Amino acid sequence: MREFLWLVPALPLLGSVILMFGSAHLSVRTAAMIGVLSVGLAALIAFVISAGFVLDPPVGGVYQQTLWRWFHVGGFSVDVGLRLDPLSLLMMLVTSGVGFFIHLFATEFMEGEQGYGRFFAHLNLFVAAMLLLVLARNFLVLYAGWEGVGLCSYLLIGFWWGDPLNGLAARKAFIVTRIGDTAFLIGLLLIATRLGTLNIASAMTRAHETLHVASPMVTLIAFLLLGGAIGKSAQLPLHTWLPDAMAGPTPVSALIHAATMVTAGVYLIARTHVLFLLAPIAQFTVGIVGALTLLLAGFSALAQNDIKRVLAYSTMSQIGYMFVALGVGAWGAAMFHLMAHAFFKALLFLSAGAVTMRLHHEQDIFKMGGLWRRLPVAFWSFLIGSAALSALPLVTAGFYSKEAILSGAWADGTRGRVLWCAGVVGAFVTGVYIFRVVFIAFFGEEHTHVSGSYGWRVIVPLIVLSTLSLVGGFIQLPPAFGHITLLSDLLSTVLPAPLGATTVMPLLFASFASISGIVVAAALYWRPTHARADATPLWRFWHAAAGFDWLYDRFLVCPVLWAARIDRDDFIDKIYSGIVWVTRAGHFAVRRTQSGRVRLYAAGLALGSICLIAIAVLR
Amino acid sequence: MATVPLDQGLLLAAILFTLGLVGVLARRNLLFILMSLEVMLNAAGVAFIVAGARWAAPGGQVMFILVLTLAATEVSVGLALILLMHRRIPTLDADAGDQLKG
């Protein structure tokens, strides 16, 4: 069964190709069938392969598949190959499984939209690129998937291209992540020249053998890889594209935030954790970046009125948690939270999409209100998602994964304690901002008229993801609770370090933080009479996410535009405009000779021939 | 068999060629231009024949046959073009067809 691994990325790619070239001739029904079935089949194959992998592990815990040789230059060869180990297995399951349910939801969400086939073509390509990224055995193949993900995010964020603002958001996402991609590419080139291979596993082994701890080279490589991860995972300071990426349709946001794209950075760091272990400064920077991002994004989410923007900032914040986990070496905890986050963030986005579907795409939470009676399915799913996001103790997946991160930070000495404090404050803020949305949007008085009901294609994904958001955490309990360690057993062959709290104190603290967040939100927004506070400067500061967009605009975009303006007529440009001028002048001079008179042409021919013959004879 | 001296033959060819060229340049009627072109081609043919006779080489006559073929095809294509032009602009004046001027 394992030899069919290549089908997992190939099937969505095939679906994408069919839809791309045939979407003009396919009916909406067929397009939806192709789009969903290709990912569904991939998810099924991934599931069967994973089951086989767990029950009957291959030798060494790794299954490799070489598809073909990409190129071979002077002893340096690159194979296109797939590598299935517990880490990529987890990512493959999350990407294809959650991706499948998002596709199913999208078939109903996008009904009646222009470019239905095109939408699913790009959605399929997105999943295919992400699967290639996580299954790649080689850095270059990984990079191909990495860029594919970036391309698809551009295509899908700008899906409704009729509005120029959406195009602007798409370009912003592409360009900002491109900055990180460039750093990543330079890092890859350094790995290729320094370690002589781009095969991930052998590069890690060689790095371990040949590079010294904290040597400048390994630190540089780790920082460059971190740059790539920061761009894709929307962490400080390359985070500004993510809130604007909400311009895309809601299933796209769900896909970007849950199954693909933003988790790529976390995966990359976990995959190359050997390098980060060799470069303690880089690893510590990962944790600091994560802590700063989780606080900044959490406070920014408090000041948003758009339901999707709240979720966008919450994603940044949760990825920040994963970075904290990576920074303190709790690799397994990061992957655990990545999985749980995929479940509940997909659930939150899909239920938010289900709400806006019935409100004519109204996303302002202050125009909703009292929806729990009208839209019970969306309400319960959103509530479960919110509970998981705010890590409601004991019953949600988010609690167990976040707890694993926080106890990992707690156990990492003084530096870890600082990150732990940030995490606990973040947990409190998370409870406040997400339940602010719940209370304002779903309780209180009704502000809009809601009509219509949902089909099974909306309800089934919501139910499945709700279930996963609740029980998904039970695969790994903290040692204080019981002895279930399925995830850490699975990951033990690739990622070191244990999972889960050994002491109860920090655990109680974190639980208390998240519960008190929810309580504070309830106290403030249960009766949201004067909850709209857009006047205060503090509110405006956080609404603009601490003004990073303004900062970049003022200090990067404006100087570049200014330099371009004053540089328009410099010496080099003069050369080129001179060439243009000479050409045009010549054109005007010679144009007269094209008189259209055949006899003149003949005379010219004759004269020319006479001259040539004269030269030949008289010379 | 008396042979035509080379210089006299070439002189004949040159005169014929000049006559044809003058015809092409001076006449405005397209049919006459075409006929003048034939004269020029035949002048070239005469030069080949004379040269072939001078060095007793068969290549001169071969080239003349080639020139004949070329002349036939040129006339057929040229007449077809003149016919098409005449349908579009009902005149045979060569200077009237200057619509492609720059």
Side-chain angles (χ1 to χ4, degrees):
Chain A
M1 191 61 209
R2 266 174 222 148
E3 56 270 24
F4 292 117
L5 182 63
W6 62 275
L7 277 174
V8 175
L11 277 174
L13 185 66
L14 180 71
S16 162
V17 170
I18 293 175
L19 286 172
M20 230 176 262
F21 290 104
S23 61
H25 314 289
L26 295 173
S27 68
V28 165
R29 209 181 144 74
T30 329
M33 284 276 275
I34 294 173
V36 173
L37 276 184
S38 62
V39 177
L41 271 177
L44 190 70
I45 294 172
F47 189 77
V48 173
I49 290 176
S50 307
F53 190 93
V54 173
L55 295 176
D56 173 27
V59 184
V62 176
Y63 172 71
Q64 309 217 37
Q65 189 175 33
T66 307
L67 298 179
W68 68 86
R69 166 163 289 182
W70 193 344
F71 58 81
H72 180 88
V73 183
F76 183 83
S77 73
V78 171
D79 288 331
V80 175
L82 305 179
R83 174 194 168 94
L84 189 68
D85 61 7
L87 181 59
S88 49
L89 181 139
L90 185 70
M91 290 297 293
M92 174 178 81
L93 279 181
V94 167
T95 306
S96 58
V98 175
F100 166 67
F101 287 113
I102 293 169
H103 273 70
L104 191 62
F105 179 89
T107 55
E108 190 165 323
F109 184 86
M110 295 302 287
E111 227 151 50
E113 291 282 348
Q114 282 283 325
Y116 194 81
R118 178 167 63 94
F119 181 75
F120 278 97
H122 297 164
L123 221 54
N124 271 4
L125 190 62
F126 210 160
V127 173
M130 187 67 188
L131 285 169
L132 187 68
L133 194 163
V134 299
L135 286 173
R137 197 177 67 180
N138 193 294
F139 272 123
L140 217 52
V141 180
L142 188 150
Y143 189 72
W146 187 271
E147 291 300 331
V149 169
L151 169 71
C152 291
S153 69
Y154 167 75
L155 291 172
L156 285 167
I157 292 167
F159 180 73
W160 286 317
W161 44 264
D163 187 349
L165 282 178
N166 294 347
L168 206 66
R171 283 204 296 281
K172 187 173 175 184
F174 193 71
I175 293 168
V176 173
T177 54
R178 165 76 16 173
I179 297 170
D181 292 355
T182 311
F184 180 31
L185 185 61
I186 298 171
L188 289 194
L189 294 177
L190 275 181
I191 290 176
T193 49
R194 257 311 152 107
L195 302 173
T197 178
L198 278 174
N199 185 309
I200 299 175
S202 41
M204 291 305 116
T205 322
R206 279 189 209 172
H208 195 67
E209 287 163 356
T210 57
L211 296 173
H212 300 291
V213 175
S215 64
M217 180 48 71
V218 77
T219 310
L220 181 63
I221 292 176
F223 266 110
L224 287 169
L225 294 186
L226 173 63
I230 281 175
K232 269 284 182 288
S233 288
Q235 300 293 295
L236 276 175
L238 296 178
H239 63 287
T240 53
W241 64 272
L242 195 65
D244 288 346
M246 293 298 106
T250 309
V252 174
S253 312
L255 202 58
I256 288 179
H257 289 244
T260 61
M261 189 90 179
V262 294
T263 53
V266 180
Y267 169 76
L268 178 72
I269 295 181
R271 177 53 87 197
T272 57
H273 67 274
V274 175
L275 292 175
F276 285 88
L277 285 175
L278 288 173
I281 306 167
Q283 200 194 353
F284 183 60
T285 313
V286 175
I288 293 293
V289 164
L292 288 177
T293 310
L294 84 87
L295 288 177
L296 178 107
F299 283 116
S300 303
L302 273 176
Q304 305 300 322
N305 291 338
D306 183 320
I307 189 167
K308 282 180 73 182
R309 283 184 88 89
V310 175
L311 295 180
Y313 281 111
S314 85
T315 299
M316 273 161 63
S317 166
Q318 297 307 304
I319 304 278
Y321 273 104
M322 295 174 211
F323 269 59
V324 166
L326 297 170
V328 297
W331 317 103
M335 297 317 290
F336 189 21
H337 196 54
L338 192 157
M339 184 195 79
H341 175 255
F343 296 151
F344 65 69
K345 190 46 63 67
L347 176 65
L348 280 170
F349 265 112
L350 293 189
S351 46
V355 169
T356 53
M357 250 168 100
R358 293 283 162 260
L359 291 178
H360 311 289
H361 296 283
E362 177 56 62
Q363 295 179 359
D364 190 337
I365 50 174
F366 285 99
K367 294 189 177 149
M368 296 175 181
L371 292 176
W372 71 275
R373 220 179 286 111
R374 300 278 172 200
L375 303 170
V377 178
F379 166 64
W380 283 107
S381 338
F382 198 87
L383 187 69
I384 291 170
S386 306
L389 172 64
S390 57
L392 193 70
L394 302 183
V395 291
T396 59
F399 168 70
Y400 294 101
S401 58
K402 204 176 275 184
E403 181 277 325
I405 290 177
L406 289 176
S407 50
W410 181 264
D412 193 52
T414 322
R415 295 192 310 191
R417 295 287 160 89
V418 177
L419 300 179
W420 180 84
C421 288
V424 170
V425 173
F428 171 74
V429 176
T430 309
V432 179
Y433 71 67
I434 195 65
F435 275 89
R436 167 176 173 269
V437 173
V438 170
F439 289 128
I440 291 173
F442 290 95
F443 292 95
E445 49 195 83
E446 292 174 36
H447 294 289
T448 42
H449 179 69
V450 185
S451 60
S453 57
Y454 300 118
W456 66 273
R457 287 172 298 172
V458 165
I459 294 176
V460 167
L462 289 180
I463 290 176
V464 172
L465 288 170
S466 301
T467 316
L468 286 173
S469 300
L470 290 177
V471 305
F474 294 129
I475 58 169
Q476 176 78 34
L477 293 184
F481 282 20
H483 192 72
I484 300 179
T485 54
L486 292 177
L487 191 72
S488 56
D489 290 348
L490 178 70
L491 292 176
S492 60
T493 52
V494 267
L495 297 174
L499 276 164
T502 43
T503 50
V504 185
M505 256 312 282
L507 202 159
L508 282 179
F509 240 107
S511 316
F512 176 73
S514 54
I515 290 179
S516 55
I518 298 171
V519 171
V520 166
L524 286 176
Y525 303 110
W526 179 255
R527 292 258 177 273
T529 45
H530 51 86
R532 236 193 140 96
D534 13 7
T536 61
L538 189 66
W539 188 91
R540 265 183 275 132
F541 177 73
W542 285 119
H543 183 69
F548 269 92
D549 272 328
W550 178 85
L551 217 63
Y552 289 165
D553 193 51
R554 188 49 67 88
F555 289 103
L556 290 174
V557 178
C558 285
V560 168
L561 287 180
W562 177 78
R565 208 169 42 243
I566 64 156
D567 211 26
R568 184 168 281 167
D569 283 323
D570 68 349
F571 167 67
I572 297 172
D573 283 338
K574 280 274 193 298
I575 296 177
Y576 293 109
S577 49
I579 293 175
V580 171
W581 187 85
V582 167
T583 315
R584 286 177 69 91
H587 158 74
F588 280 116
V590 184
R591 195 173 77 164
R592 303 270 158 213
T593 61
Q594 180 144 4
S595 60
R597 300 191 172 199
V598 185
R599 297 186 305 143
L600 270 180
Y601 297 169
L605 276 174
L607 201 66
S609 315
I610 288 171
C611 289
L612 283 177
I613 291 169
I615 291 170
V617 171
L618 302 178
R619 188 167 59 95
Chain B
M1 193 175 73
T3 50
V4 182
L6 181 67
D7 46 356
Q8 288 179 18
L10 285 183
L11 195 65
L12 175 67
I15 291 170
L16 271 178
F17 192 86
T18 319
L19 280 174
L21 183 62
V22 170
V24 167
L25 297 183
R27 302 297 294 225
R28 292 176 66 172
N29 191 315
L30 275 168
L31 284 175
F32 279 96
I33 292 179
L34 211 58
M35 278 192 261
S36 307
L37 270 177
E38 289 299 307
V39 172
M40 288 167 74
L41 280 169
N42 279 303
V46 166
F48 274 123
I49 290 289
V50 168
R54 166 69 179 74
W55 284 288
Q61 293 179 31
V62 172
M63 284 307 289
F64 180 66
I65 292 170
L66 199 69
V67 169
L68 273 186
T69 331
L70 183 78
T73 48
E74 181 255 315
V75 164
S76 58
V77 173
L79 280 177
L81 284 175
I82 291 175
L83 206 62
L84 281 176
M85 182 185 153
H86 190 259
R87 276 195 203 148
R88 197 170 282 263
I89 324 163
T91 172
L92 284 176
D93 186 354
D95 291 352
D98 62 350
Q99 287 162 8
L100 275 177
K101 72 177 170 197

